[in-house]
């Protein structure tokens, strides 16, 4: 069993008896709009599987998960990490520590040492512990953010995480009348078609889990923008989610430096219908990146 002592905490491999303690630690970091992490979700994360970003997970070597324990033997933190098979790049996949800076630093240092790669990345894609949180929520996870920076990582602001309560359908934006269709991934898609029969606008939502739906995607063709189609599509999506039992909805906006287009108009649209920002999502790199 691998062990490393740092600042009065000791690292050891995750064991089955750690499940309850780890679930408690992970759920203390849960963002508004995210489901309570269950034993099943933890099992998927430990096995290196996730429905979201599944392609990335398939390219990784089997992850290792270790816990930090204090002098009394109590589990106070957990970190999971793996190496990309096709390149010598190490990934810190997920890490939780009740935002104790001492523990966060020990977990980051341990994962970097064990990975042993010059190129490192952290919080690069979504795990089974969340519903699409594809990076570190910096405002809620300040201790982890600082621990990464102290360890030499450079952070990049990539995503906006937003949330909106769903009240009476009469108060929601008016829908477009588009019909919802089940997709292969289990989500629901709604499209508006132009005079030629081609889709000129589309929205994709995730059915509610624990009362929370997800607005995964909305797109409007450039030629028909500025006519209210985006607002109508959002209205249709929100009304559908209410019909399915959703009490709130979350969304992610890729408006960071790597975004493929300006998202300012989209952000204004989301804010105008009632979405508010919960946090900013960052990912991190250290060393030369392939």
């Amino acid at each position: 069993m691998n062990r490393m002592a740092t600042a009065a905490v000791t690292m050891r491999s995750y064991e089955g008896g750690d499940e309850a303690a780890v679930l408690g630690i992970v759920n203390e970091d849960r963002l508004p709009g995210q489901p309570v992490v269950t034993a099943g979700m933890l099992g998927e994360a430990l096995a290196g599987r996730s429905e979201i970003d599944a392609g990335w997970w398939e390219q990784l070597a089997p992850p290792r998960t270790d816990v930090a324990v204090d002098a009394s033997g109590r589990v106070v933190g957990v970190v999971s990490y793996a190496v990309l098979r096709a390149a010598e790049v190490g990934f810190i996949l997920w890490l939780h520590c009740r935002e104790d800076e001492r523990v966060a630093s020990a977990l980051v240092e341990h994962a970097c040492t064990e990975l042993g790669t010059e190129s490192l990345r952290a919080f690069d894609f979504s795990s089974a512990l969340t519903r699409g949180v594809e990076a570190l929520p910096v405002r809620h996870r300040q201790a982890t953010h600082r621990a990464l920076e102290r360890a030499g990582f450079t952070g990049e602001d990539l995503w906006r995480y937003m949330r909106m309560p769903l009240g009476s359908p009469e108060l929601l934006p008016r829908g477009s009348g588009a019909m919802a269709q089940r997709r292969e991934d289990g989500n629901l898609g709604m499209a508006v078609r132009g005079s030629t029969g081609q889709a000129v606008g589309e929205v994709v939502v995730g059915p509610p889990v624990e009362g929370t739906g997800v607005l995964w995607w909305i797109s409007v063709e450039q030629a028909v923008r500025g006519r209210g189609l985006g607002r109508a599509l959002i209205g249709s999506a929100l009304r559908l989610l209410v019909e399915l039992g959703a009490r709130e909805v979350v969304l992610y906006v890729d408006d960071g430096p790597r975004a493929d287009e300006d998202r300012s108009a989209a952000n204004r649209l989301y804010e105008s219908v009632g979405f508010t920002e919960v946090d900013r999502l960052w990912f991190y790199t250290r060393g030369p990146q392939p």
Side-chain angles (χ1 to χ4, degrees):
M1 180 182 300
N2 177 57
R3 290 181 178 268
M4 183 182 73
T6 304
V9 298
T10 301
M11 301 295 170
R12 63 166 172 78
S13 300
Y14 173 90
E15 300 168 354
D18 298 325
E19 180 182 273
V22 168
L23 284 173
I25 293 169
V26 172
N27 277 313
E28 283 198 29
D29 287 338
R30 184 165 59 96
L31 285 172
Q34 291 297 309
V36 173
V37 178
T38 65
M41 294 164 68
L42 177 59
E44 288 293 284
L46 292 170
R49 294 188 294 265
S50 175
E51 290 185 6
I52 302 166
D53 287 339
W56 271 107
W57 287 90
E58 291 169 358
Q59 296 180 53
L60 295 173
R64 287 179 53 188
T65 302
D66 297 331
V67 296
V69 297
D70 64 14
S72 70
R74 181 174 63 102
V75 174
V76 292
V78 59
V79 62
S80 189
Y81 50 95
V83 174
L84 186 68
R85 288 193 179 99
E88 283 299 308
V89 181
F91 287 79
I92 296 178
L93 302 168
W94 47 276
L95 179 158
H96 295 276
C97 60
R98 292 190 173 92
E99 290 309 284
D100 182 314
E101 293 214 25
R102 174 190 56 134
V103 179
S105 291
L107 291 167
V108 169
E109 179 185 342
H110 172 73
C112 293
T113 300
E114 293 298 306
L115 285 165
T117 57
E118 188 176 7
S119 298
L120 291 163
R121 300 166 76 95
F123 297 95
D124 209 2
F125 37 85
S126 177
S127 77
L129 301 176
T130 69
R131 201 175 183 201
V133 180
E134 195 176 284
L136 181 76
V138 293
R139 289 202 289 270
H140 284 77
R141 305 286 305 278
Q142 277 289 300
T144 299
H145 168 73
R146 289 191 290 267
L148 287 162
E149 290 192 323
R150 282 195 300 270
F153 283 85
T154 299
E156 185 175 338
D157 183 353
L158 292 184
W159 296 85
R160 192 182 196 197
Y161 176 54
M162 306 186 77
R163 181 186 182 212
M164 174 184 173
L166 294 175
S168 171
E170 290 74 22
L171 302 178
L172 297 174
R174 180 176 298 176
S176 66
M179 297 296 293
Q181 295 188 346
R182 181 76 61 176
R183 294 157 46 101
E184 290 184 2
D185 58 10
N187 293 316
L188 296 166
M190 308 172 77
V192 174
R193 301 188 181 279
S195 57
T196 64
Q198 295 293 319
V200 294
E202 180 184 20
V203 64
V204 177
V205 299
V209 174
E210 297 178 11
T212 302
V214 182
L215 180 60
W216 284 124
W217 171 260
I218 181 170
S219 65
V220 176
E221 290 295 315
Q222 186 70 44
V224 295
R225 292 180 182 176
R227 304 178 188 178
L229 182 55
R231 188 176 181 85
L233 280 168
I234 289 180
S236 294
L238 299 183
R239 287 168 181 263
L240 173 62
L241 288 172
V242 169
E243 291 171 5
L244 294 173
R247 298 182 299 275
E248 65 176 355
V249 58
V250 299
L251 63 79
Y252 306 89
V253 187
D254 56 336
D255 63 350
R258 293 197 290 179
D260 57 2
E261 63 177 275
D262 183 9
R263 296 289 194 270
S264 57
N267 277 319
R268 288 194 297 271
L269 174 61
Y270 299 141
E271 291 167 357
S272 74
V273 300
F275 282 94
T276 57
E277 183 175 289
V278 175
D279 213 324
R280 299 292 310 189
L281 306 179
W282 289 37
F283 100 112
Y284 301 80
T285 58
R286 191 178 90 176
Q289 298 297 305

